Amino acid sequence: MPFAAITYDIKAGYEKEITEIFTGFRRVGSPVVQGENGEETARILATAVFIRDDTMVRVIEYEGDLDAIARHMATQPGVREVEEKLAPYLSRPRATDTVEGFVATFKRSLLTCMAQMSVRDLPAARPAPHTS
């Protein structure tokens, strides 16, 4: 499963306040992202948020179309609420108040994935042959 990571430029020294914002985060209604015709185009498997000094990173494990995930996140009340609450702590404002702005900011904030590994990518383990 691929991972995506997006950065936030934040003001240093507000780790406690930012942590509190995410403590009350309202999860998305469903991990399934649907296309225009109702078909499943992607799935959000997991997210995590990391912070140090003036950088915050949100990591997303997903299946499917990352652009569809960005559009889906842009419409989620919990995501919109977090973006609004984070605004005073950002050193670089994020134009995320519209779907188009959110998607553009998401793409601009996306880190390049250099490598990723998972035990799920390994071939199924074979039992050792029996010797008599």
Side-chain angles (χ1 to χ4, degrees):
M1 308 304 163
F3 292 87
I6 57 173
T7 61
Y8 296 73
D9 298 315
I10 59 172
K11 297 174 185 173
Y14 292 99
E15 292 86 350
K16 181 180 176 187
E17 291 85 350
I18 293 170
T19 299
E20 288 174 9
I21 291 171
F22 282 95
T23 299
F25 178 70
R26 290 190 294 159
R27 296 179 57 95
V28 296
S30 170
V32 175
V33 178
Q34 296 180 333
E36 292 179 13
N37 300 322
E39 76 283 6
E40 183 176 324
T41 60
R43 181 179 293 262
I44 299 170
L45 302 175
T47 62
V49 181
F50 301 87
I51 190 170
R52 186 180 69 204
D53 301 327
D54 62 352
T55 303
M56 186 174 78
V57 177
R58 178 182 289 204
V59 177
I60 305 161
E61 183 182 17
Y62 68 97
E63 297 174 330
D65 181 11
L66 186 58
D67 288 338
I69 290 195
R71 287 190 303 278
H72 177 72
M73 289 175 63
T75 64
Q76 298 303 303
V79 173
R80 297 187 70 81
E81 184 178 312
V82 164
E83 289 285 335
E84 186 177 309
K85 287 181 177 181
L86 283 175
Y89 305 107
L90 299 175
S91 60
R92 182 184 304 171
R94 297 166 58 87
T96 58
D97 52 340
T98 66
V99 172
E100 296 78 18
F102 185 96
V103 171
T105 300
F106 185 97
K107 288 179 179 182
R108 191 172 43 256
S109 303
L110 196 58
L111 295 174
T112 300
C113 181
M114 304 299 289
Q116 61 183 38
M117 294 173 264
S118 171
V119 295
R120 291 173 286 191
D121 298 331
L122 297 174
R126 292 186 191 167
H130 293 284
T131 57
S132 304

